[in-house]
Amino acid sequence: AQSVTQLGSHVSVSEGALVLLRCNYSSSVPPYLFWYVQYPNQGLQLLLKYTTGATLVKGINGFEAEFKKSETSFHLTKPSAHMSDAAEYFCAVSDGSGNTGKLIFGQGTTLQVKP
Amino acid sequence: GAVVSQHPSRVICKSGTSVKIECRSLDFQATTMFWYRQFPKKSLMLMATSNEGSKATYEQGVEKDKFLINHASLTLSTLTVTSAHPEDSSFYICSARGTGYYGYTFGSGTRLTVV
């Protein structure tokens, strides 16, 4: 079974500061990992994903994440926060190309950006 | 890019009635569809997985007779909430996977309110 834990349900940063959202996963098979952003009453938008290959993944809007197998982590970072980054962020894991491919989500982290 | 259209975006229904939510893949063939439920300020809970032409597989604890899922074609999947009650009020989101690429495309979600 797979699972995702997002450390910190609420993160607050100042505009221009570093954003770090933490995600740890558990998977019995090589995982595919994703970060999504959700704005109120909207669906999910993919920020970035890791499947295979390079462990540092760059996504949209200046976000990036690094897959660290030894730490079972996939933390999301952005060097400088913008007010528009305030939203709900979800880390998710799937079982890759095998089995069901179900996407399992973490609990979510609310990012607040202060002016 | 891949687009999934979900309708309606909002629906209010009376207790005891049924509501149908549609998800259409507009520019790809959705071989697998996932249906999620999201409670306020909570993560996405996977309800069921459906493959085109097959019966849906429901997650543990999800009532398959209440949440009817049909995936009769490669471009359309529907979720019908039967005999809806106020506790069924929630945000429902679909997600589709297609052949030829690995990714999950999400609909924009449906806000269901049962009064």
Side-chain angles (χ1 to χ4, degrees):
Chain A
Q2 298 170 300
S3 65
V4 175
T5 301
Q6 291 182 239
L7 301 176
S9 60
H10 190 274
V11 171
S12 181
V13 301
S14 298
E15 191 174 18
L18 171 72
V19 174
L20 171 61
L21 304 182
R22 300 177 185 274
C23 172
N24 287 90
Y25 70 90
S26 173
S27 178
S28 58
V29 298
Y32 285 14
L33 295 158
F34 305 77
W35 274 100
Y36 289 89
V37 61
Q38 184 182 35
Y39 296 97
N41 291 311
Q42 293 187 25
L44 275 70
Q45 181 182 14
L46 178 67
L47 287 175
L48 50 80
K49 66 182 177 186
Y50 168 79
T51 54
T52 59
T55 56
L56 181 61
V57 181
K58 295 185 184 298
I60 62 171
N61 301 338
F63 285 95
E64 64 180 38
E66 186 171 11
F67 170 60
K68 292 187 177 181
K69 184 178 179 180
S70 61
E71 299 178 8
T72 61
S73 69
F74 191 58
H75 302 331
L76 182 71
T77 60
K78 181 173 181 178
S80 176
H82 292 181
M83 296 298 292
S84 60
D85 293 328
E88 190 76 17
Y89 291 80
F90 293 97
C91 181
V93 63
S94 79
D95 62 5
S97 58
N99 299 327
T100 65
K102 291 191 291 188
L103 195 60
I104 305 301
F105 286 86
Q107 307 92 314
T109 298
T110 302
L111 176 64
Q112 179 187 25
V113 182
K114 297 177 292 185
Chain B
V3 177
V4 171
S5 176
Q6 183 172 347
H7 291 281
S9 58
R10 290 177 178 270
V11 58
I12 301 173
C13 71
K14 290 185 178 181
S15 186
T17 63
S18 296
V19 173
K20 180 182 285 188
I21 301 170
E22 290 189 351
C23 273
R24 294 182 182 271
S25 56
L26 301 185
D27 50 5
F28 69 103
Q29 294 183 324
T31 52
T32 305
M33 192 74 78
F34 304 91
W35 286 93
Y36 292 86
R37 179 174 181 176
Q38 185 177 32
F39 293 96
K41 300 192 181 299
K42 296 291 186 182
S43 186
L44 284 80
M45 180 191 77
L46 180 64
M47 299 174 66
T49 302
S50 69
N51 293 298
E52 183 265 337
S54 302
K55 286 186 177 180
T57 301
Y58 291 81
E59 296 297 305
Q60 191 171 9
V62 178
E63 299 177 62
K64 61 182 180 181
D65 293 331
K66 166 166 277 293
F67 300 101
L68 301 180
I69 291 171
N70 184 284
H71 192 175
S73 78
L74 285 171
T75 59
L76 174 65
S77 178
T78 60
L79 167 67
T80 301
V81 183
T82 63
S83 187
H85 291 284
E87 57 266 29
D88 299 325
S89 298
S90 195
F91 194 59
Y92 294 88
I93 306 176
C94 65
S95 175
R97 287 181 65 186
T99 56
Y101 79 102
Y102 189 88
Y104 300 85
T105 303
F106 284 83
S108 55
T110 297
R111 172 73 60 194
L112 169 63
T113 303
V114 184
V115 297

